[in-house]
Amino acid sequence: MKALDATALDQLFRTARTYNRFTGEVDDATVKQLYDLVKWGPTSANQCPARFVFVRSEEGKQKLAPALSEGNREKTLSAPVVAIVAHDLDFHEKLPYLFPHTDAKSWFDGPQENRRDHAFRNGTLQAAYLILAARALGLDTGPMTGFDAAMVDQLFFAGTSIRSNILVNLGKGDPASIFDRSPRLSFDEACRIV
Ligand SMILES: Cc1cc2nc3c(=O)[nH]c(=O)nc-3n(C[C@H](O)[C@H](O)[C@H](O)COP(=O)(O)O)c2cc1C
């Protein structure tokens, strides 16, 4: 494997920002292309617990609106698409297909509560893959946890084992909608090599 060039690293990390207002359009082909990258990101035992609802219609956005915190409502309604990143607490049911070389399903059989951490951890990783895949495809993003997850679950996942985790606005970010870049921890503050 070769390191990506500086332009690609800028696009993925150094100049990529979290936007608060969006324009543009995100068509079906782009949404599918996005998932077709996200799905390759690793998860433990290949659980792939994340489930995605890409809300694009006006009807879908109006359904989502009451669950959004006040500060997140306008920006989300402006976004061409908002991805609801959720995870299936019964992800193990698909492990005979997803991890076929051993009986991985049996590791996770039993009460749903025992699968919660796995689903949350790996589903959150998949949300991060979504952000980076979107940037790789030239989309801007706006991840959010300021929403009523119980309400989103009721509105979009009623009667299922799927639970919402993170929303991600997708589109063309409006540069006027961001603050100056906040600092990050230095290597010495956040890391050590032992
Ligand atoms: C998981 C997650 C949840 C977030 N929730 C919210 C939110 O509810 N509302 C909001 O305005 N920003 C939210 N943010 C945005 C962060 O504050 C922002 O990504 C961070 O400050 C870095 O900004 P930058 O990418 O422009 O450097 C969230 C970000 C992440 C990753």
mmCIF file of all heavy atoms in Angstrom, residues 16-20 69 71-72 75 131 135 143-147 166 178 181-182 184, ligand 1:
data_model
loop_
_atom_site.group_PDB
_atom_site.id
_atom_site.type_symbol
_atom_site.label_atom_id
_atom_site.label_comp_id
_atom_site.label_asym_id
_atom_site.label_seq_id
_atom_site.Cartn_x
_atom_site.Cartn_y
_atom_site.Cartn_z
ATOM 1 N N ALA A 16 -10.829 19.140 5.921
ATOM 2 C CA ALA A 16 -12.246 18.748 6.052
ATOM 3 C C ALA A 16 -12.799 19.339 7.338
ATOM 4 O O ALA A 16 -12.125 19.349 8.362
ATOM 5 C CB ALA A 16 -12.359 17.233 6.088
ATOM 6 N N ARG A 17 -14.008 19.848 7.265
ATOM 7 C CA ARG A 17 -14.615 20.472 8.426
ATOM 8 C C ARG A 17 -16.007 19.900 8.682
ATOM 9 O O ARG A 17 -16.575 19.200 7.857
ATOM 10 C CB ARG A 17 -14.744 21.992 8.194
ATOM 11 C CG ARG A 17 -13.414 22.731 8.079
ATOM 12 C CD ARG A 17 -12.619 22.708 9.383
ATOM 13 N NE ARG A 17 -13.409 23.088 10.546
ATOM 14 C CZ ARG A 17 -13.606 24.340 10.968
ATOM 15 N NH1 ARG A 17 -13.071 25.344 10.304
ATOM 16 N NH2 ARG A 17 -14.324 24.592 12.046
ATOM 17 N N THR A 18 -16.542 20.223 9.852
ATOM 18 C CA THR A 18 -17.917 19.884 10.190
ATOM 19 C C THR A 18 -18.793 21.085 9.858
ATOM 20 O O THR A 18 -18.611 22.147 10.451
ATOM 21 C CB THR A 18 -18.025 19.549 11.690
ATOM 22 O OG1 THR A 18 -17.189 18.429 11.965
ATOM 23 C CG2 THR A 18 -19.460 19.255 12.086
ATOM 24 N N TYR A 19 -19.704 20.925 8.922
ATOM 25 C CA TYR A 19 -20.479 22.068 8.427
ATOM 26 C C TYR A 19 -21.824 22.201 9.139
ATOM 27 O O TYR A 19 -22.409 21.205 9.578
ATOM 28 C CB TYR A 19 -20.678 21.964 6.916
ATOM 29 C CG TYR A 19 -19.408 22.300 6.184
ATOM 30 C CD1 TYR A 19 -18.434 21.329 5.963
ATOM 31 C CD2 TYR A 19 -19.144 23.608 5.780
ATOM 32 C CE1 TYR A 19 -17.232 21.639 5.331
ATOM 33 C CE2 TYR A 19 -17.961 23.929 5.157
ATOM 34 C CZ TYR A 19 -17.002 22.944 4.926
ATOM 35 O OH TYR A 19 -15.827 23.263 4.327
ATOM 36 N N ASN A 20 -22.292 23.434 9.196
ATOM 37 C CA ASN A 20 -23.561 23.733 9.868
ATOM 38 C C ASN A 20 -24.665 24.167 8.918
ATOM 39 O O ASN A 20 -25.781 24.446 9.357
ATOM 40 C CB ASN A 20 -23.338 24.824 10.925
ATOM 41 C CG ASN A 20 -22.515 24.294 12.085
ATOM 42 O OD1 ASN A 20 -22.828 23.232 12.639
ATOM 43 N ND2 ASN A 20 -21.451 24.985 12.423
ATOM 44 N N SER A 69 -32.625 18.332 18.101
ATOM 45 C CA SER A 69 -32.487 19.433 19.062
ATOM 46 C C SER A 69 -32.657 20.738 18.293
ATOM 47 O O SER A 69 -32.391 20.804 17.088
ATOM 48 C CB SER A 69 -31.118 19.384 19.742
ATOM 49 O OG SER A 69 -30.118 19.747 18.826
ATOM 50 N N GLY A 71 -30.947 23.385 18.059
ATOM 51 C CA GLY A 71 -29.748 23.853 17.356
ATOM 52 C C GLY A 71 -29.410 23.044 16.121
ATOM 53 O O GLY A 71 -28.606 23.482 15.298
ATOM 54 N N ASN A 72 -29.963 21.860 16.014
ATOM 55 C CA ASN A 72 -29.631 20.998 14.870
ATOM 56 C C ASN A 72 -30.714 20.985 13.795
ATOM 57 O O ASN A 72 -30.520 20.403 12.730
ATOM 58 C CB ASN A 72 -29.403 19.559 15.340
ATOM 59 C CG ASN A 72 -28.067 19.388 16.039
ATOM 60 O OD1 ASN A 72 -27.145 20.161 15.795
ATOM 61 N ND2 ASN A 72 -27.965 18.397 16.897
ATOM 62 N N LYS A 75 -30.116 23.229 10.261
ATOM 63 C CA LYS A 75 -29.023 22.726 9.420
ATOM 64 C C LYS A 75 -29.388 21.375 8.821
ATOM 65 O O LYS A 75 -29.024 21.065 7.687
ATOM 66 C CB LYS A 75 -27.716 22.649 10.209
ATOM 67 C CG LYS A 75 -27.661 21.593 11.278
ATOM 68 C CD LYS A 75 -26.308 21.566 11.960
ATOM 69 C CE LYS A 75 -26.346 22.291 13.276
ATOM 70 N NZ LYS A 75 -25.180 22.171 14.093
ATOM 71 N N ILE A 131 -18.296 9.032 7.511
ATOM 72 C CA ILE A 131 -17.783 10.405 7.406
ATOM 73 C C ILE A 131 -16.586 10.448 6.461
ATOM 74 O O ILE A 131 -16.511 11.289 5.554
ATOM 75 C CB ILE A 131 -17.415 10.947 8.810
ATOM 76 C CG1 ILE A 131 -18.681 11.115 9.659
ATOM 77 C CG2 ILE A 131 -16.638 12.255 8.703
ATOM 78 C CD1 ILE A 131 -18.425 11.359 11.134
ATOM 79 N N ARG A 135 -16.264 12.138 2.661
ATOM 80 C CA ARG A 135 -15.218 13.100 2.295
ATOM 81 C C ARG A 135 -14.430 12.600 1.086
ATOM 82 O O ARG A 135 -14.076 13.388 0.203
ATOM 83 C CB ARG A 135 -14.285 13.318 3.481
ATOM 84 C CG ARG A 135 -14.955 14.072 4.617
ATOM 85 C CD ARG A 135 -14.083 14.096 5.851
ATOM 86 N NE ARG A 135 -14.639 14.967 6.875
ATOM 87 C CZ ARG A 135 -14.063 15.178 8.052
ATOM 88 N NH1 ARG A 135 -12.914 14.577 8.348
ATOM 89 N NH2 ARG A 135 -14.620 15.978 8.927
ATOM 90 N N PRO A 143 -21.805 15.510 11.436
ATOM 91 C CA PRO A 143 -22.316 14.505 12.381
ATOM 92 C C PRO A 143 -23.006 15.164 13.569
ATOM 93 O O PRO A 143 -22.605 16.251 13.980
ATOM 94 C CB PRO A 143 -21.046 13.762 12.836
ATOM 95 C CG PRO A 143 -19.908 14.676 12.533
ATOM 96 C CD PRO A 143 -20.342 15.629 11.467
ATOM 97 N N MET A 144 -24.017 14.490 14.117
ATOM 98 C CA MET A 144 -24.781 15.059 15.241
ATOM 99 C C MET A 144 -25.289 13.960 16.163
ATOM 100 O O MET A 144 -25.816 12.950 15.692
ATOM 101 C CB MET A 144 -26.032 15.795 14.726
ATOM 102 C CG MET A 144 -25.778 16.992 13.869
ATOM 103 S SD MET A 144 -27.321 17.546 13.124
ATOM 104 C CE MET A 144 -27.719 16.185 12.081
ATOM 105 N N THR A 145 -25.162 14.235 17.454
ATOM 106 C CA THR A 145 -25.856 13.371 18.419
ATOM 107 C C THR A 145 -26.907 14.161 19.210
ATOM 108 O O THR A 145 -27.504 13.611 20.130
ATOM 109 C CB THR A 145 -24.860 12.697 19.390
ATOM 110 O OG1 THR A 145 -23.942 13.683 19.853
ATOM 111 C CG2 THR A 145 -24.094 11.576 18.712
ATOM 112 N N GLY A 146 -27.100 15.406 18.835
ATOM 113 C CA GLY A 146 -28.117 16.224 19.493
ATOM 114 C C GLY A 146 -29.494 15.925 18.929
ATOM 115 O O GLY A 146 -30.040 16.715 18.150
ATOM 116 N N PHE A 147 -30.026 14.786 19.313
ATOM 117 C CA PHE A 147 -31.378 14.417 18.883
ATOM 118 C C PHE A 147 -31.935 13.413 19.878
ATOM 119 O O PHE A 147 -31.192 12.815 20.670
ATOM 120 C CB PHE A 147 -31.360 13.848 17.454
ATOM 121 C CG PHE A 147 -30.675 12.515 17.313
ATOM 122 C CD1 PHE A 147 -31.393 11.327 17.291
ATOM 123 C CD2 PHE A 147 -29.292 12.438 17.192
ATOM 124 C CE1 PHE A 147 -30.759 10.097 17.163
ATOM 125 C CE2 PHE A 147 -28.651 11.210 17.057
ATOM 126 C CZ PHE A 147 -29.386 10.043 17.041
ATOM 127 N N ILE A 166 -26.108 7.968 15.571
ATOM 128 C CA ILE A 166 -25.559 9.251 15.121
ATOM 129 C C ILE A 166 -26.259 9.665 13.830
ATOM 130 O O ILE A 166 -26.542 8.809 12.990
ATOM 131 C CB ILE A 166 -24.036 9.122 14.864
ATOM 132 C CG1 ILE A 166 -23.297 8.714 16.146
ATOM 133 C CG2 ILE A 166 -23.442 10.420 14.325
ATOM 134 C CD1 ILE A 166 -21.807 8.445 15.950
ATOM 135 N N ILE A 178 -19.234 27.817 9.252
ATOM 136 C CA ILE A 178 -18.322 27.203 10.230
ATOM 137 C C ILE A 178 -17.542 28.251 11.010
ATOM 138 O O ILE A 178 -17.301 29.349 10.544
ATOM 139 C CB ILE A 178 -17.335 26.206 9.563
ATOM 140 C CG1 ILE A 178 -16.642 26.857 8.374
ATOM 141 C CG2 ILE A 178 -18.058 24.935 9.172
ATOM 142 C CD1 ILE A 178 -15.599 25.963 7.742
ATOM 143 N N ARG A 181 -11.335 26.814 12.982
ATOM 144 C CA ARG A 181 -10.988 25.463 13.387
ATOM 145 C C ARG A 181 -10.556 25.429 14.856
ATOM 146 O O ARG A 181 -9.718 26.234 15.286
ATOM 147 C CB ARG A 181 -9.828 25.000 12.506
ATOM 148 C CG ARG A 181 -9.370 23.581 12.742
ATOM 149 C CD ARG A 181 -10.315 22.583 12.172
ATOM 150 N NE ARG A 181 -9.615 21.585 11.385
ATOM 151 C CZ ARG A 181 -10.185 20.491 10.904
ATOM 152 N NH1 ARG A 181 -11.473 20.245 11.143
ATOM 153 N NH2 ARG A 181 -9.503 19.658 10.183
ATOM 154 N N SER A 182 -11.131 24.540 15.623
ATOM 155 C CA SER A 182 -10.702 24.388 17.022
ATOM 156 C C SER A 182 -9.423 23.554 17.066
ATOM 157 O O SER A 182 -9.177 22.733 16.180
ATOM 158 C CB SER A 182 -11.786 23.677 17.828
ATOM 159 O OG SER A 182 -12.966 24.441 17.834
ATOM 160 N N ARG A 184 -6.590 20.749 18.232
ATOM 161 C CA ARG A 184 -6.603 19.342 18.614
ATOM 162 C C ARG A 184 -5.466 19.115 19.603
ATOM 163 O O ARG A 184 -4.549 19.925 19.714
ATOM 164 C CB ARG A 184 -6.414 18.432 17.389
ATOM 165 C CG ARG A 184 -7.485 18.587 16.298
ATOM 166 C CD ARG A 184 -8.881 18.280 16.810
ATOM 167 N NE ARG A 184 -9.815 17.938 15.736
ATOM 168 C CZ ARG A 184 -10.726 18.743 15.205
ATOM 169 N NH1 ARG A 184 -10.844 19.995 15.657
ATOM 170 N NH2 ARG A 184 -11.526 18.328 14.239
HETATM 171 C C1 LIG B 1 -20.489 12.090 17.222
HETATM 172 C C2 LIG B 1 -20.595 13.568 16.998
HETATM 173 C C3 LIG B 1 -21.705 14.247 17.467
HETATM 174 C C4 LIG B 1 -21.838 15.616 17.243
HETATM 175 N N1 LIG B 1 -22.995 16.235 17.613
HETATM 176 C C5 LIG B 1 -23.205 17.510 17.244
HETATM 177 C C6 LIG B 1 -24.462 18.128 17.436
HETATM 178 O O1 LIG B 1 -25.417 17.519 17.938
HETATM 179 N N2 LIG B 1 -24.629 19.407 17.029
HETATM 180 C C7 LIG B 1 -23.614 20.113 16.449
HETATM 181 O O2 LIG B 1 -23.809 21.287 16.096
HETATM 182 N N3 LIG B 1 -22.400 19.554 16.233
HETATM 183 C C8 LIG B 1 -22.177 18.272 16.597
HETATM 184 N N4 LIG B 1 -20.970 17.671 16.335
HETATM 185 C C9 LIG B 1 -19.921 18.459 15.647
HETATM 186 C C10 LIG B 1 -18.606 18.625 16.437
HETATM 187 O O3 LIG B 1 -18.708 19.629 17.391
HETATM 188 C C11 LIG B 1 -17.488 18.923 15.416
HETATM 189 O O4 LIG B 1 -17.385 17.810 14.563
HETATM 190 C C12 LIG B 1 -16.145 19.157 16.101
HETATM 191 O O5 LIG B 1 -16.157 20.314 16.856
HETATM 192 C C13 LIG B 1 -15.026 19.263 15.060
HETATM 193 O O6 LIG B 1 -15.292 20.274 14.111
HETATM 194 P P1 LIG B 1 -14.413 20.368 12.783
HETATM 195 O O7 LIG B 1 -14.615 19.062 12.064
HETATM 196 O O8 LIG B 1 -14.979 21.517 12.001
HETATM 197 O O9 LIG B 1 -12.992 20.570 13.180
HETATM 198 C C14 LIG B 1 -20.807 16.318 16.565
HETATM 199 C C15 LIG B 1 -19.691 15.614 16.089
HETATM 200 C C16 LIG B 1 -19.590 14.266 16.290
HETATM 201 C C17 LIG B 1 -18.394 13.540 15.705
#
